[in-house]
């Protein structure tokens, strides 16, 4: 008889220990440790026969029917792939997935949408509004996961909305409890792998902004997608936080309209308003959100401070970045910004995290401190180092294309950037930050 190894596993974070404790030492959850007999029970291990890699690669994807979503997924839903799509309530998860389900079902696939959140009539009402009239789109509401999966044998694509709303009889606790979510997800994963169909789980977001349920959930699934947006705006963005089938660099943009989510064809135009560039302190740059380029305007106002500790206030950019760039300007360009109050604003409500926008921030602070207006139709693309050196930026061509599209044909960039560049562009190459002064002071 094989010896059984008894271990205790935290249902919340997956921590394992050989002795039981009331509180998980890793994630701090109480009463979450459960006994596991881990001996030679290999039934839970997924194995497959030997197969040619080419054959697996040919188990092609199922296009979602929504171009922006396909980009984010890396070319569509992968057969056998399990996806977790998370977002705040009301952001549009159900709408997006219903739209994708409807499109997939019009291409000869039988699609099942399981909802534990809304009644049939609510979904039907939404379907009517979205104009979804496919005969191959089926609906189930709520229930026990085992029964739901038993009845889902011959479907080609399944959505479970949400993983927190169904229960498994094997587990105690209410729907949404860590054990319930883990078991439900595990069953869906086994089902998807066995049937080689894409399976999408919708996940709730907690008040703290993390995905509700056990942290293990994110490890268990193949891809995690985050659907987010500002409640006051109709713009929604989808990003892959984890993607076993593609890159996590892509992002998709949508607009919520009365007839559902529509793809935004020209994302750059969303936040772009032509600025009054005839004042000092305004510099343009192109930031990237995933692979989407946005032309943004950085505005600075630097004025002599009447306080011993000058004020640094910003909107859309980290204050520590302003302090850093201001220190570099003082030390390497002999400016005196350390005794100035500096206010920085990124227009359009965007937040810059991209270091490629450093040069624009530096130029904008410089311009305001010295009261010099920067040349018109000019864009700044460069990262600034502590020595004041200007470094190259990733995906320069993409940024330049966006700048040109909006009529910005003069580009300041690092001298280390390699061309060729379009002939109509005026390129100003810089080694060091202080060279900006030589160019703009003329
Ligand atoms: P929903 O998809 O239910 O969000 P989630 O599943 O993430 O909770 O989206 C609900 C919101 O979307 C709701 O506030 C109304 C709005 N909406 C539209 O503006 N247009 C539409 O066509 C639909 C279906 C919803
Ligand atoms: Mg919903």
């Amino acid at each position: 008889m094989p010896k059984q190894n008894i271990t205790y596993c935290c249902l919340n974070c997956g921590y394992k220990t050989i002795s039981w404790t009331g509180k998980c030492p890793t994630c701090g959850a109480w009463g979450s440790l459960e006994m596991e007999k881990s001996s030679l029970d290999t039934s839970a291990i997924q194995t497959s026969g030997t197969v040619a890699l080419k054959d697996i690669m040919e188990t092609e994807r199922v296009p979602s029917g929504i171009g922006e979503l396909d980009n984010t997924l890396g070319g569509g839903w992968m057969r056998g792939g399990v996806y977790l799509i998370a977002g705040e309530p009301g952001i549009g998860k159900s709408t997006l997935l219903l739209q994708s389900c409807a499109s997939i079902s019009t291409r000869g696939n039988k699609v099942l949408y399981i909802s534990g959140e809304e009644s049939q009539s609510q979904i039907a009402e939404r379907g009517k509004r979205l104009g979804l009239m496919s005969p191959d789109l089926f609906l189930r509401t709520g229930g026990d996961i085992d029964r739901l999966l038993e009845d889902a044998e011959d479907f080609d694509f399944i959505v479970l909305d949400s993983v927190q709303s169904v229960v498994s009889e094997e587990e105690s606790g209410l729907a949404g409890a860590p054990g319930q979510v883990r078991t439900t997800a595990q069953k869906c994963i086994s089902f998807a792998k066995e049937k080689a169909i894409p399976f999408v789980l919708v996940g709730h977001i907690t008040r703290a902004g993390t995905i509700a349920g056990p942290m293990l959930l994110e490890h268990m699934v193949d891809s995690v997608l985050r659907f987010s947006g500002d409640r006051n705006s109709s713009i929604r963005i989808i990003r892959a936080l984890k993607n076993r089938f593609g890159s996590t660099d892509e992002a998709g943009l949508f607009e919520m309209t009365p007839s559902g989510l529509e793809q935004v064809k020209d994302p750059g135009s969303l936040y772009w308003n032509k600025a009054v560039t005839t004042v000092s302190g305004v510099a343009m740059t192109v930031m990237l959100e995933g692979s989407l380029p946005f032309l943004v305007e950085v505005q600075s106002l630097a004025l002599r401070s009447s306080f011993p500790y000058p004020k640094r206030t910003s909107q859309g950019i980290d204050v520590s970045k302003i302090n850093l760039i201001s220190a570099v300007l003082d030390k390497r360009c002999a400016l005196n910004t350390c005794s100035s109050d500096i206010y920085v604003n990124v227009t359009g409500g965007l937040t810059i995290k991209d270091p490629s926008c450093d040069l624009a921030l530096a130029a904008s602070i410089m311009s305001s401190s010295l009261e010099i207006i920067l040349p018109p139709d000019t864009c700044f693309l460069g990262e600034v180092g502590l020595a004041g050196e200007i470094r190259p930026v990733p995906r320069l061509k993409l940024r330049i294309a966006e700048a040109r599209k909006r009529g910005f044909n003069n580009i300041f960039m690092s001298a280390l950037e390699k061309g060729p560049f379009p002939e109509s562009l005026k390129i100003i190459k810089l080694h060091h930050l202080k060279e900006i002064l030589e160019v703009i002071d003329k």
Side-chain angles (χ1 to χ4, degrees):
M1 193 98 166
K3 188 171 169 268
Q4 279 200 335
N5 293 325
I6 292 181
T7 52
Y8 296 87
C9 177
C10 172
L11 293 179
N12 190 37
C13 67
Y15 168 77
K16 286 197 175 172
T17 173
I18 50 165
S19 55
W20 190 88
T21 54
K23 183 182 177 185
C24 171
T26 316
C27 69
W30 284 95
S32 64
L33 266 66
E34 218 168 65
M35 192 187 348
E36 278 189 349
K37 288 175 189 159
S38 61
S39 67
L40 293 173
D41 179 12
T42 53
S43 61
I45 301 171
Q46 288 163 16
T47 60
S48 68
T50 311
V51 278
L53 182 60
K54 185 174 141 286
D55 292 345
I56 313 172
M57 280 151 58
E58 279 173 7
T59 37
E60 79 302 3
R61 299 182 185 240
V62 180
S64 70
I66 302 170
E68 292 279 304
L69 182 57
D70 281 343
N71 281 348
T72 314
L73 296 171
W77 304 108
M78 182 64 91
R79 289 191 203 277
V82 179
Y83 297 81
L84 175 67
I85 169 161
E88 285 176 24
I91 211 75
K93 303 179 291 297
S94 308
T95 308
L96 181 72
L97 291 172
L98 258 181
Q99 285 181 237
S100 179
C101 282
S103 168
I104 292 169
S105 68
T106 56
R107 279 176 269 131
N109 299 301
K110 244 181 113 183
V111 175
L112 177 63
Y113 183 88
I114 306 170
S115 177
E117 312 248 317
E118 288 162 289
S119 68
Q120 284 188 353
S121 54
Q122 275 175 311
I123 300 168
E125 190 53 41
R126 183 190 300 236
K128 233 187 271 170
R129 194 137 53 94
L130 299 173
L132 316 177
M133 287 296 171
S134 166
D136 281 328
L137 174 54
F138 295 85
L139 181 66
R140 261 311 275 267
T141 47
D144 176 270
I145 188 66
D146 297 296
R147 207 135 10 101
L148 288 170
L149 293 179
E150 260 167 40
D151 297 346
E153 287 288 324
D154 57 343
F155 285 95
D156 304 305
F157 182 75
I158 303 180
V159 170
L160 172 60
D161 186 358
S162 68
V163 67
Q164 280 94 358
S165 67
V166 290
V167 286
S168 168
E169 273 169 10
E170 288 168 25
E171 285 286 337
S172 57
L174 298 171
Q180 287 286 7
V181 173
R182 187 178 79 142
T183 307
T184 302
Q186 189 54 59
K187 285 179 190 256
C188 296
I189 291 167
S190 307
F191 187 87
K193 306 283 169 201
E194 189 188 316
K195 304 271 179 248
I197 56 162
F199 205 121
V200 186
L201 307 172
V202 174
H204 288 173
I205 290 279
T206 64
R207 247 194 240 165
T210 54
I211 299 170
M215 280 179 237
L216 264 182
L217 190 55
E218 288 171 65
H219 294 290
M220 289 161 76
V221 297
D222 296 307
S223 299
V224 180
L225 303 168
R226 181 74 190 253
F227 200 36
S228 52
D230 184 5
R231 275 184 181 268
N232 301 322
S233 136
S234 56
I235 302 300
R236 305 282 183 263
I237 187 158
I238 191 158
R239 274 196 205 86
L241 302 183
K242 165 184 171 182
N243 193 357
R244 285 190 184 144
F245 313 123
S247 95
T248 49
D249 285 343
E250 303 295 331
L253 237 84
F254 298 92
E255 183 163 13
M256 183 60 99
T257 70
S259 54
L261 288 157
E262 278 178 17
Q263 302 176 56
V264 178
K265 288 278 176 307
D266 182 10
S269 66
L270 281 177
Y271 299 97
W272 169 234
N273 305 307
K274 188 123 178 75
V276 190
T277 44
T278 49
V279 290
S280 63
V282 174
M284 305 300 305
T285 185
V286 179
M287 66 171 242
L288 289 185
E289 244 327 316
S291 62
L292 301 176
F294 291 98
L295 186 73
V296 287
E297 183 185 329
V298 183
Q299 301 183 327
S300 297
L301 199 61
L303 56 158
R304 188 142 303 281
S305 179
S306 44
F307 302 102
Y309 299 103
K311 259 206 308 212
R312 301 282 150 89
T313 309
S314 95
Q315 201 152 27
I317 200 157
D318 201 14
V319 175
S320 61
K321 179 64 98 179
I322 300 172
N323 289 333
L324 187 141
I325 295 290
S326 144
V328 174
L329 286 172
D330 286 15
K331 183 86 179 168
R332 309 290 178 199
C333 306
L335 250 73
N336 185 17
T337 60
C338 62
S339 52
S340 298
D341 290 337
I342 302 178
Y343 303 87
V344 177
N345 180 30
V346 178
T347 60
L350 284 164
T351 300
I352 296 181
K353 292 197 186 105
D354 188 349
S356 310
C357 301
D358 288 358
L359 185 58
L361 176 62
S364 139
I365 297 176
M366 227 179 218
S367 154
S368 179
S369 311
L370 301 171
E371 276 303 327
I372 298 174
I373 297 170
L374 294 170
D377 303 332
T378 301
C379 202
F380 295 84
L381 302 173
E383 189 178 333
V384 175
L386 290 185
E389 81 279 19
I390 314 291
R391 295 163 174 269
V393 301
R395 311 194 74 170
L396 180 71
K397 299 231 157 67
L398 180 68
R399 296 177 202 258
I400 289 183
E402 178 65 18
R404 283 183 79 202
K405 198 154 104 189
R406 318 259 165 230
F408 289 78
N409 287 310
N410 306 324
I411 315 276
F412 280 69
M413 63 172 79
S414 163
L416 304 175
E417 297 282 13
K418 292 189 182 75
F421 301 109
E423 278 186 12
S424 58
L425 280 187
K426 187 176 167 211
I427 306 281
I428 303 106
K429 288 199 167 181
L430 310 167
H431 290 96
H432 195 278
L433 208 45
K434 63 184 175 214
E435 291 164 30
I436 295 186
L437 290 173
E438 292 159 20
V439 182
I440 62 177
D441 234 358
K442 278 178 196 159

